[in-house]
Amino acid sequence: MKSKGIRKFLADNAGFFFVLPWLIGFILFKVYPFASSLYYSFTNYDLFNGVTKTGMMNYNKIFTDSDITRAFMVTFKYAIFDVPLKLTFALFIAYILNFKLKGVNFFRTAYYIPSILGGSIAIAILWRAVFNTDGLINAVVVAFGGEKINWMASANGALFVIIMLRVWQFGSAMVIFLAALKGVSEDLYEAASIDGAGKWTQFFKITVPLITPVIFYNLITQLCQAFQEFNGPFLVTKGGPNGATTLISILIYNNAFLRHKMGIASAQAWILFLIVMTFTAVAFVSQKKWVYYSDEDGR
């Protein structure tokens, strides 16, 4: 009888046991770190000395320390330039690749490859070499009669380099835009052409409104990625010169793993989380005014 009861219990809860490994992993590697970081953000937790003090000192320091404030401002500046440029390039290339051109499949693949390779250490080192004083970019500048530019020596130049690295990886957003463009009915373009609308008018009056849900999706995902960017500035500029490309993610890494100050690193991470959540919330509220949902989407 007992064995039958156990078998019945296992049969009735088979779904739960299938999902149990994932649930354990989710709690151990997602929920626990998330909750513990919130606690540590109110402490002076050190990797070697543990917790010796609790309070609001980390958050007070975030809003009073000039280095931390500057890192947040650099991150804002990086995201403001990176996201629009990346989405613009992605949509422009997707629009071109949507035409029935010879060899278009090759170009679709070629434009997508940087998104796969862009996060690697090798590509970051190559990117640094390309923008070096004797690199390829300066060779092109000199060929057109200009003078060599020391990209890494100036704040704006170094920031431009890491922004371009991210913009160059527009392939993933491009593929999503391309899928959306494929879904726009050709009948709409034919009707617009009969009415005398040109390509630009068709693009802004037909294409853009109909793919605004996809634009919104790409905007949210790229915004979240931009605020969490780490590899590019860490490997290419190392946060320099003089902190000009030290994003908040690099500062969190430095505090957590170089200075072993997990308390202040956790507080910075939570402020970053709140900033990203705020931007996302504003985007979701604003979508009511500019995102077009067709009746087929149930809106």
Side-chain angles (χ1 to χ4, degrees), residues 133 136-149:
T133 307
L136 178 62
I137 300 299
N138 274 333
V140 175
V141 172
V142 171
F144 281 93
E147 296 183 359
K148 291 183 178 181
I149 303 171

Side-chain angles (χ1 to χ4, degrees), residues 200-278:
W200 282 107
T201 302
Q202 293 178 28
F203 179 76
F204 287 105
K205 297 295 184 180
I206 298 176
T207 305
V208 172
L210 290 179
I211 66 170
T212 46
V214 177
I215 295 175
F216 175 70
Y217 171 80
N218 272 334
L219 173 65
I220 295 297
T221 55
Q222 296 303 324
L223 189 67
C224 292
Q225 289 180 18
F227 274 103
Q228 299 176 75
E229 177 61 21
F230 179 81
N231 284 355
F234 182 77
L235 295 170
V236 178
T237 64
K238 301 186 184 301
N242 298 321
T245 57
T246 300
L247 306 185
I248 191 61
S249 58
I250 294 181
L251 202 60
I252 292 172
Y253 170 83
N254 290 340
N255 282 322
F257 301 107
L258 298 183
R259 301 168 190 152
H260 313 298
K261 297 179 179 179
M262 296 298 294
I264 184 66
S266 297
Q268 291 168 347
W270 269 93
I271 293 296
L272 178 61
F273 168 74
L274 292 175
I275 290 173
V276 174
M277 187 173 67
T278 300

Side-chain angles (χ1 to χ4, degrees), residues 89-90 92-94 96-97 103-116 167-175:
F89 271 104
F92 175 71
I93 299 299
I96 294 175
L97 296 181
V104 69
N105 290 330
F106 167 78
F107 288 103
R108 289 173 184 172
T109 304
Y111 281 120
Y112 182 70
I113 287 176
S115 295
I116 302 173
V167 173
W168 176 67
Q169 302 167 40
F170 62 81
S172 57
M174 179 204 71
V175 170

Side-chain angles (χ1 to χ4, degrees), residues 33-215:
F34 192 78
S36 62
S37 68
L38 179 60
Y39 165 72
Y40 289 138
S41 70
F42 293 98
T43 70
N44 66 339
Y45 177 47
D46 186 281
L47 280 178
F48 297 103
N49 300 321
V51 176
T52 58
K53 186 179 179 181
T54 59
M56 295 292 295
M57 59 278 183
N58 292 328
Y59 292 98
N60 291 334
K61 185 177 182 180
I62 288 175
F63 294 105
T64 56
D65 188 290
S66 59
D67 290 336
I68 299 176
T69 304
R70 183 185 183 186
F72 275 108
M73 294 307 297
V74 171
T75 306
F76 280 125
K77 188 176 180 180
Y78 173 84
I80 287 172
F81 283 99
D82 169 71
V83 176
L85 282 173
K86 190 172 183 179
L87 292 183
T88 301
F89 271 104
L91 181 56
F92 175 71
I93 299 299
Y95 184 72
I96 294 175
L97 296 181
N98 191 41
F99 293 108
K100 296 178 180 179
L101 304 173
K102 187 176 181 180
V104 69
N105 290 330
F106 167 78
F107 288 103
R108 289 173 184 172
T109 304
Y111 281 120
Y112 182 70
I113 287 176
S115 295
I116 302 173
L117 303 177
S120 69
I121 296 175
I123 291 297
I125 295 173
L126 177 62
W127 197 260
R128 183 181 180 89
V130 166
F131 280 91
N132 201 4
T133 307
D134 299 320
L136 178 62
I137 300 299
N138 274 333
V140 175
V141 172
V142 171
F144 281 93
E147 296 183 359
K148 291 183 178 181
I149 303 171
N150 192 347
W151 298 95
M152 305 299 177
S154 65
N156 291 333
L159 189 62
F160 171 79
V161 170
I162 62 172
I163 288 174
M164 285 294 94
L165 176 57
R166 278 280 301 169
V167 173
W168 176 67
Q169 302 167 40
F170 62 81
S172 57
M174 179 204 71
V175 170
I176 296 173
F177 277 136
L178 186 59
L181 292 172
K182 292 291 184 184
V184 180
S185 175
E186 290 290 337
D187 295 340
L188 297 174
Y189 295 121
E190 292 176 2
S193 297
I194 293 173
D195 291 337
K199 291 295 183 181
W200 282 107
T201 302
Q202 293 178 28
F203 179 76
F204 287 105
K205 297 295 184 180
I206 298 176
T207 305
V208 172
L210 290 179
I211 66 170
T212 46
V214 177
I215 295 175

Side-chain angles (χ1 to χ4, degrees), residues 21-41:
W22 174 88
L23 186 62
I24 293 173
F26 178 73
I27 294 173
L28 288 179
F29 301 111
K30 296 289 186 179
V31 177
Y32 173 72
F34 192 78
S36 62
S37 68
L38 179 60
Y39 165 72
Y40 289 138
S41 70

